[in-house]
Amino acid sequence: MHTFAEIIHQLGPLINIPGLASQENKDLCVIDLNPNQKLFIQLSHKSPEVEIVMQLGSIPPGKYREDFFRACLKANGKNFPRFGNFAYLSKNEQLVLFESIPIDILDGESLYNFILLFSDKAQKYQEAIMQGDIPYVEERGDSNSSNPFGV
């Protein structure tokens, strides 16, 4: 099993940030993926997990917000792997994408592979917010799942 600091150090070269290290408290790492995507990676203090969080933006109140949140709830209800779950932080009125991964199954490369899919999902939802669109979420019965009833 790798420590949080080792995982972050291994991640650095993979995302072209050699010497990447956790912040002063050693339990947090903030990465600017691009001007609109700031990724927070932190060690959970409640369980042996690494938490990955990205703020996606503010969604104006009204019918659009209701429809957007409905799409987020559908996405949260999909089978694993989902590459993140949506939550709304009412304190700062931000939609966030987050995931918790047990630290004992992580290394820098597995975290990097997860971040690629996680940030892609985040970008799609950020673009939808900026364009005033509702992201498409495949219905449970639409996929080629092994369950013939689509449940």
Side-chain angles (χ1 to χ4, degrees):
M1 182 172 98
H2 298 282
T3 66
F4 181 74
E6 290 170 338
I7 293 167
I8 297 302
H9 183 73
Q10 293 169 359
L11 177 65
L14 298 171
I15 59 173
N16 295 320
I17 306 176
L20 181 66
S22 51
Q23 302 292 326
E24 294 170 10
N25 68 8
K26 298 188 171 59
D27 293 341
L28 173 68
C29 179
V30 181
I31 302 169
D32 289 323
L33 297 177
N34 65 48
N36 295 325
Q37 287 187 314
K38 187 176 282 197
L39 184 70
F40 296 85
I41 306 170
Q42 61 189 19
L43 185 61
S44 173
H45 295 287
K46 297 178 183 177
S47 61
E49 296 179 323
V50 172
E51 299 169 341
I52 302 155
V53 181
M54 188 177 297
Q55 290 188 357
L56 303 181
S58 180
I59 302 172
K63 177 79 170 126
Y64 172 70
R65 179 190 276 186
E66 292 172 19
D67 292 343
F68 200 96
F69 285 176
R70 191 172 293 111
C72 290
L73 289 172
K74 284 182 184 178
N76 283 354
K78 291 185 64 68
N79 293 329
F80 288 99
R82 289 192 291 258
F83 307 110
N85 297 288
F86 294 99
Y88 182 71
L89 304 177
S90 57
K91 183 177 180 178
N92 62 358
E93 297 187 354
Q94 288 286 311
L95 180 68
V96 297
L97 184 63
F98 72 95
E99 188 64 75
S100 296
I101 303 172
I103 194 167
D104 60 349
I105 65 168
L106 275 181
D107 61 16
E109 186 175 353
S110 61
L111 181 57
Y112 171 73
N113 290 329
F114 176 82
I115 288 171
L116 289 176
L117 298 165
F118 182 87
S119 63
D120 183 55
K121 182 176 184 177
Q123 184 174 359
K124 288 176 184 172
Y125 278 75
Q126 281 180 316
E127 288 172 359
I129 292 169
M130 289 187 279
Q131 296 169 0
D133 291 336
I134 303 298
Y136 172 74
V137 179
E138 185 178 273
E139 295 293 330
R140 283 182 169 233
D142 290 350
S143 67
N144 294 329
S145 75
S146 60
N147 185 334
F149 303 106
V151 179

